[in-house]
Amino acid sequence: MASIKDVAAEAGVSVATVSRVLNGHPSVSPGARTRVLAAVDALGYRPNAVARSLRTDQTHTLGLVISDVLNPYFTELARSVEEEARAHGYSVIIGNADEQPELQDHHVRNLLDRRIDGLLVSPTDGGSPLMLDAAHTGTPMVFVDRWIPGVDVPVVRADGREAVRDLVTHLHGLGHRRLAIIAGPAATMTGSERVEAFREALREYGLPLPDAYVGQGDFQAASGRRATEAFLNLPEPPEVVFATDNLMALGALDAIRARGMSVPHDIALAAFDDIPWFVHTDPPITAIAQPTGELGRAAVRALVDRIEGRPPQSVTLTARLVVRRSCGEPQAAQPRTMPSRSMQPPPKQPPSTQRSIT
Amino acid sequence: MASIKDVAAEAGVSVATVSRVLNGHPSVSPGARTRVLAAVDALGYRPNAVARSLRTDQTHTLGLVISDVLNPYFTELARSVEEEARAHGYSVIIGNADEQPELQDHHVRNLLDRRIDGLLVSPTDGGSPLMLDAAHTGTPMVFVDRWIPGVDVPVVRADGREAVRDLVTHLHGLGHRRLAIIAGPAATMTGSERVEAFREALREYGLPLPDAYVGQGDFQAASGRRATEAFLNLPEPPEVVFATDNLMALGALDAIRARGMSVPHDIALAAFDDIPWFVHTDPPITAIAQPTGELGRAAVRALVDRIEGRPPQSVTLTARLVVRRSCGEPQAAQPRTMPSRSMQPPPKQPPSTQRSIT
DNA sequence: CCTCCTTGTGGAATCGATTACATGGAGGAT
DNA sequence: ATCCTCCATGTAATCGATTCCACAAGGAGG
């Protein structure tokens, strides 16, 4: 593979001049410029990004560590991250942690070794020493979706509190009183936060949330199945299961089907995270939708700001309830007329661009 | 960030010795070794992969260029590729071409500039000059799923001919006679191949495949919708739509629903590529399943073979039909009793390890 | 006509590793 | 005791870029 030296020789100039031409440095004569360009063309020369990175200490690469690529939510996130990064001139290396802290550490270490310019993380756990250390020693970093409290790292996320309240309102309006939730790992912020929001909303309606109605999941389908089976084995099973992510909802659906029961007739089902497939399941599933694409883009913008020396901002967008038929009573014509205060005025600004600064 | 020089100074040895310790070179005294290790620990030193790559001309990185990350089939492929690569000590950079040749070229160029050790491609088109050039100039490369004919690059793929024949047998057995297909882009090998297999199977049953029953798609949901609408507008619409990938099947389902028709009562639907969600759609969709995970793993093995100087082998695995309810007549108890010759003896070797050498 | 500044260019240092080669000392064979 | 070998180690070249500095030529200004 041709190097800058070959180009210099071919063009009859020094490597310095070649470099200047390639980097658009002004001080190059038109003659030299054309000869260099011709040589580049003739040799099919492409600059070696590895060498360039070593010298400039910039890789123009972002690392993205997510907890589960197979989860459509994260897939979409990854896609929007890559798009926005490309628009800013960065590439992205994705690390799939598969909800395993050790794997997450492996990827963080690997990305750090490769000297990526910045790191986007959706932490699987409360934060390993490695990651905390990276944050402290000044690696540009941004948390997306999930985060670790007490660390000075900007967070880009969607707030689901209101949407959860809307959901509870919706369920209550349909006459459901015994509501259960499948929680995510307590170690993740989103895990505990969603349960908290649910508990609070229930309190507003004077509904209890017995311990038996809080299933412990790990954001994977199998755990959703297990938790749901436990619910169904209860002397008084819940009327509604709310899964705090889409895969656990899928597991719940499996468990319900395996019992020969049907949704929403025998039991209602709702999920956090809306994905295209929920429209096509049997029945279509009521879910809380995050502005996933905008989340990814905002995260990249924050990270690039940080990398390029501008002050990065935390961003909080809002999630919204999407009512379908999995909780009963298909409200055919007027799909979203709920007696909830949060349903009152449509937000002035589109929710997807709403920014709050921390 | 500490460099090897700092470690050398801390340990009171030369950089050469540090490097030797780090690379497990035998000729290092135990004393020096412990001192170096202590220094590494004290400084939290991690070797700079960029510098190492420059010197050794190896990045221990594989590039994977796929046509669409949002397609669950490719997501699963990407996941298995990353896993197997990691097991071999390689990282993976994924490029999402989004079915656009220019974007595909962008990623290939980018990966080449980063001097990845090898390239795994599922080509979106017939092959740009850039990619052909890379193949010729000796970049280790392997095609996975899709491929470009006439290029000397190993191919790892699943053969769907038999499964397609099984599908036609299944459909014919259910009484369907007017079968339509939504094809992928003609530029992709898998696109034309699947249509060919379908056409051939139809011929065996003496069924015609009129041009009007061949919809032109691009492996995206929207095109599946369009093609299906066109079918339904025909004076004599087909009784079955076979989508050659899962996203187009989704689009087809949309189009059918939009007409107020139901599957399989009004029209049957089948898809190439099986994905977890097909179990949960309404109705569950009959599909041809590829051994996706094994495909990804085999592709990595072939590529690593090529990189490390062993002769790489093309691999062809077999796809198989998974009957569900989207074509009618839920055959409850005995799920797969089809009157097809291909259903006769179970393969001696598990299909997932079946290798054919090209 | 001389000086000074600008512009274009090349030489060489540098980034952080690996590794060929040189060197010095210890130990074994004769 | 001498010589040879082998082991541990250091010095320095190298990978392919970028960039500081020096320098020459040419133009402007006095």
Side-chain angles (χ1 to χ4, degrees), chain A residues 99 124 146 183-192 216-219 244 248:
Chain A
E99 303 286 358
T124 287
R146 310 184 187 174
T188 64
M189 210 51 200
T190 47
S192 47
Q216 206 27 259
D218 60 5
F219 288 142
T244 54
M248 295 193 299

Side-chain angles (χ1 to χ4, degrees), chain B residues 217-303:
Chain B
D218 60 4
F219 287 144
Q220 301 282 359
S223 72
R225 195 175 307 129
R226 278 195 304 276
T228 306
E229 278 159 9
F231 289 153
L232 298 177
N233 284 333
L234 254 25
E236 193 171 50
E239 297 159 330
V240 180
V241 174
F242 172 40
T244 53
D245 95 328
N246 68 72
L247 293 179
M248 297 194 297
L250 204 61
L253 196 55
D254 278 346
I256 294 167
R257 292 252 177 87
R259 284 280 178 123
M261 299 170 76
S262 98
V263 176
H265 185 259
D266 300 316
I267 189 165
L269 180 64
F272 207 106
D273 286 346
D274 190 25
I275 55 174
W277 303 95
F278 278 175
V279 178
H280 302 277
T281 49
D282 173 26
I285 295 179
T286 293
I288 292 174
Q290 300 195 47
T292 319
E294 186 52 31
L295 234 35
R297 286 188 288 276
V300 170
R301 282 194 296 264
L303 186 55

